[in-house]
Amino acid sequence: MFVVGDFCSLPPVTDTAQQPGDPLAEPGTIGLIGLGIIGSKIAEHIAGVGYRIAVYDVRPEAVREAAAAGAHPAGNPAEVAAVTDTVLVCVQNDAQCEEVLTGAGGILQSARPGLAVAILSTVHPHTITRLAAAAAELAVTLVDAPMVGQGREHIPQGLLWVVVGGTDAEFARVAPALRTFAGRALHTGPLGSGAVLKLAHNVMVYGGYLATIEALELARIAGVADGLVQEVTEHTGTLSPQSAILAEIYERRRATPGDAFEEHHMRIAAEVLEKDLRIATEVAAEYGLHLPGAAVLDGRGHEVYRAHPVEGS
């Protein structure tokens, strides 16, 4: 399964896909830090199609699983940076990005001039700007490259895109590594623009989620037969493929919680929803814009995913 909400439906794009041995766009050795639901699949795919990749995660079992798939295990982010040409950072939030880059044993501790770092995580544009400035002092390139797509199982099909903020030269520097797992690397403009585009994307996704669950609850309480909301709204084009996935999960979880694995990841999904919308409202406020729909969902991620609290908490 994958965390619903961080990705939307997009058609496959293969014109920018890269093949091993392409002399015009070799990515060199790739590093990946963060082996969660998406990161683990990215590592598996990159190794599986023949590229060299070094990996690290705070969970040793995740590193062992990636190593079994062909990745080189590392003991910390600095070790990853020391043996790679481009490092992909796929962690959950801004604080983790800061730690991975600038903390003890972080990427910048061992970074050498010419290293490139692509932040795949959805974080605040100011975090990108701050980390890019710290990296530039060491002649390291850092760009925002958040992901949009249909989730981990669609990576082999080229359904995952990355939207990249940076100069033309910075984009050209990181694009070969990104194309080892993404169907398309889309240059969105200057540093931070990819982060803002991803936030805008998620405002739309999560707003659709709220409308979907409210529609389901309205129909249910009034006695409309199960499944008719989905059938009608799919026919009219009102229900997006992403919201359709959420509706299926929401209805199933309404009756019964999932296993421990699902419950854990639903709680993570709820945290990510609230984090992303909080950042989006902060960025909007800097431009004098209010996002009332995003504000409605503040603190309600657990309702969207029916994420049950940990017992005793």
Side-chain angles (χ1 to χ4, degrees), residues 178-221:
L178 296 173
R179 289 170 181 154
T180 62
F181 70 91
R184 185 179 185 186
L186 175 65
H187 189 195
T188 59
L191 190 72
S193 62
V196 175
L197 176 56
K198 176 61 184 292
L199 292 169
H201 162 276
N202 283 5
V203 167
M204 185 178 291
V205 169
Y206 294 138
Y209 284 2
L210 177 62
T212 298
I213 63 175
E214 288 188 348
L216 292 173
E217 293 295 345
L218 173 62
R220 176 179 294 108
I221 200 169

Side-chain angles (χ1 to χ4, degrees), residues 115-266:
L115 179 72
V117 178
I119 305 297
L120 305 184
S121 311
T122 304
V123 297
H124 200 296
H126 291 341
T127 299
I128 296 295
T129 302
R130 184 168 58 254
L131 293 176
E137 293 180 0
L138 300 172
V140 171
T141 296
L142 186 144
V143 300
D144 46 313
M147 303 171 288
V148 294
Q150 292 184 326
R152 57 174 279 135
E153 298 306 327
H154 292 269
I155 290 171
Q157 302 175 34
L159 289 169
L160 190 72
W161 288 15
V162 287
V163 289
V164 186
T167 66
D168 289 345
E170 289 167 341
F171 173 73
R173 172 66 181 81
V174 301
L178 296 173
R179 289 170 181 154
T180 62
F181 70 91
R184 185 179 185 186
L186 175 65
H187 189 195
T188 59
L191 190 72
S193 62
V196 175
L197 176 56
K198 176 61 184 292
L199 292 169
H201 162 276
N202 283 5
V203 167
M204 185 178 291
V205 169
Y206 294 138
Y209 284 2
L210 177 62
T212 298
I213 63 175
E214 288 188 348
L216 292 173
E217 293 295 345
L218 173 62
R220 176 179 294 108
I221 200 169
V224 175
D226 290 347
L228 290 186
V229 169
Q230 295 93 314
E231 182 175 349
V232 169
T233 55
E234 284 177 355
H235 168 69
T236 62
T238 304
L239 185 67
S240 72
Q242 191 68 15
S243 289
I245 295 171
L246 183 279
E248 179 182 348
I249 293 174
Y250 181 84
E251 293 279 57
R252 172 171 54 79
R253 290 175 59 77
R254 187 178 187 279
T256 180
D259 58 19
F261 178 85
E262 180 177 282
E263 289 303 301
H264 171 69
H265 288 292
M266 288 300 101

Side-chain angles (χ1 to χ4, degrees), residues 27-32 42 46 51-55 80 83-88 176-178 180-181:
T29 301
I30 300 165
L32 176 61
I42 290 173
I46 291 174
Y51 293 107
R52 295 168 295 167
I53 179 169
V55 299
V80 173
V83 297
T84 56
D85 303 299
T86 304
V87 180
L88 312 175
L178 296 173
T180 62
F181 70 91

